[in-house]
Amino acid sequence: MELSISSRLLNTSSAAAATALLKSKPRVHNRHTSIPLLPLKHPFSPLTLKQMSNNSQSTLSCSSLPQNNPSSPSTASGRIGEVKRVTKETNVWVKINLDGTGVANSSTSIPFLDHMLDQLASHGLFDVHVKATGDIHIDDHHTNEDVALALGTALLQSLGDRKGINRFGDFSAPLDEALIHVSLDLSGRPHLSYDLNIPTARVGTYDTQLVEHFFQSLVNTSGMTLHIRQLAGKNSHHIIEATFKAFARALRQATEYDPRRLGTIPSSKGVLSRS
C-alpha cells in the first residue's frame, strides 16, 4: 500500500506527525468469520461443519448421507433364520438373512427351482442358502415341497416378534410380455390366493404345477397371507420368474423397518402370531 503526503503538509509544524503517519500500518477490518472444515474420516460418514463464534461451537450434519436409525432394532448381524428338515424323502438345510446383500447359494438338484431361489435372493436383497437332496428319481414334488416348508420356517424365525416392520408388501413385476402382481401381509395367518395361468406343463424338467405347491407350503410355515395375480403373460418361464421377482420385492417391502413405527408391533392388537 502506497501513501503520498503533499510537500505543503511536510513543511508545517506537524511534519513529525506526518512522519509518524507514514510509518503507521493501516488497520484492515475483517468482517468475515472463518469456518474451518474438519477432514472427512470415512467416505460414508456425515460431513461435519463446525462454525466457531466467540467461545461457542455449533455443528451441522448432512442428513442425506447414511446414518444409523436409533428407533430400529439392531441389524448389525442381520435377522437370520436357519432350519434343517430331514425326512425319509428329503434332507433340506435352509438359511436366510433378511438384512443381507442378495447372496444366493442354492443347490436343490432341481435346476429351475435353484434359478427361482436366486431371484428371491437377488430382488429381495436377502442372503439365501439352500442345500437339498431328495427322491427326485421319483419326481421333484417332495424336494420342492420340503424346501418351501423349510424356507417358510426360516423366514418365521428371522422375523421374530415382527416389531417395527412394514408388515405389508405389494409389487408388480414385468418380464417381457408377462406381468405379475403380488400382495402380501406378514399377519401370522397363513392364506394363499393363487391365480396363474401357466400354458405348459413343464419348464425344462420342472413341473409347473409345483409353483402353486411351493407357495402354499411356504405360506403354511411362515404365517403369511399371500395373493398372486397374473395380469399378462404367455411364456411359462416368464410368468413363473416374474412371480418370484414380484414376491421377492413385496417381501422385501414387508420385512423392512418403518422409521415411524419406532420398534412397535404393526398391529392394533399389539401382537402378530401364526394362530
Side-chain angles (χ1 to χ4, degrees), residues 15-91:
T19 301
L21 179 62
L22 285 170
K23 292 182 178 181
S24 66
K25 295 181 179 180
R27 291 180 296 173
V28 178
H29 297 281
N30 186 357
R31 298 178 179 275
H32 302 283
T33 302
S34 62
I35 304 176
L37 290 176
L38 296 182
L40 190 62
K41 295 182 179 180
H42 190 279
F44 296 101
S45 301
L47 178 63
T48 305
L49 180 65
K50 293 189 175 181
Q51 183 178 11
M52 309 296 294
S53 176
N54 296 329
N55 293 327
S56 63
Q57 174 178 303
S58 60
T59 302
L60 301 176
S61 177
C62 296
S63 59
S64 60
L65 294 175
Q67 300 185 45
N68 292 330
N69 183 0
S71 65
S72 298
S74 173
T75 58
S77 59
R79 291 169 292 169
I80 297 173
E82 184 173 0
V83 171
K84 186 172 180 63
R85 177 182 173 85
V86 179
T87 71
K88 293 181 179 179
E89 298 163 337
T90 64
N91 187 326

Side-chain angles (χ1 to χ4, degrees), residues 8 57 59 104 113 127 156 163 174 180 192 223 226 229 238 246:
R8 185 177 179 181
Q57 174 178 303
T59 302
L113 180 58
D127 293 344
L156 177 69
K163 287 183 178 179
I180 306 298
L192 174 65
L226 176 61
R229 292 288 180 272
H238 292 169

Side-chain angles (χ1 to χ4, degrees), residues 192-213:
L192 174 65
S193 181
Y194 176 93
D195 185 18
L196 294 185
N197 181 21
I198 303 173
T200 63
R202 293 186 178 276
V203 174
T205 61
Y206 187 76
D207 183 352
T208 55
Q209 287 185 329
L210 296 181
V211 177
E212 180 176 6
H213 193 56

Side-chain angles (χ1 to χ4, degrees), residues 73-218:
S74 173
T75 58
S77 59
R79 291 169 292 169
I80 297 173
E82 184 173 0
V83 171
K84 186 172 180 63
R85 177 182 173 85
V86 179
T87 71
K88 293 181 179 179
E89 298 163 337
T90 64
N91 187 326
V92 177
W93 171 80
V94 170
K95 183 177 181 180
I96 185 170
N97 182 354
L98 297 182
D99 304 301
T101 57
V103 174
N105 183 13
S106 298
S107 177
T108 66
S109 301
I110 306 174
F112 187 75
L113 180 58
D114 290 343
H115 181 44
M116 293 302 101
L117 293 172
D118 289 349
Q119 305 309 308
L120 176 61
S122 176
H123 294 279
L125 286 181
F126 311 126
D127 293 344
V128 179
H129 304 268
V130 180
K131 303 294 180 186
T133 58
D135 54 0
I136 58 172
H137 60 282
I138 299 174
D139 65 10
D140 295 341
H141 184 97
H142 295 143
T143 302
N144 178 87
E145 177 184 24
D146 286 357
V147 165
L149 289 171
L151 182 61
T153 304
L155 177 61
L156 177 69
Q157 287 183 1
S158 61
L159 285 170
D161 56 17
R162 311 185 189 201
K163 287 183 178 179
I165 63 172
N166 288 315
R167 173 179 167 179
F168 297 97
D170 187 274
F171 199 86
S172 293
L175 179 55
D176 296 348
E177 89 298 340
L179 178 62
I180 306 298
H181 176 242
V182 170
S183 186
L184 62 86
D185 175 13
L186 300 177
S187 60
R189 297 183 299 274
H191 176 81
L192 174 65
S193 181
Y194 176 93
D195 185 18
L196 294 185
N197 181 21
I198 303 173
T200 63
R202 293 186 178 276
V203 174
T205 61
Y206 187 76
D207 183 352
T208 55
Q209 287 185 329
L210 296 181
V211 177
E212 180 176 6
H213 193 56
F214 178 91
F215 284 108
Q216 185 64 69
S217 299
L218 187 148

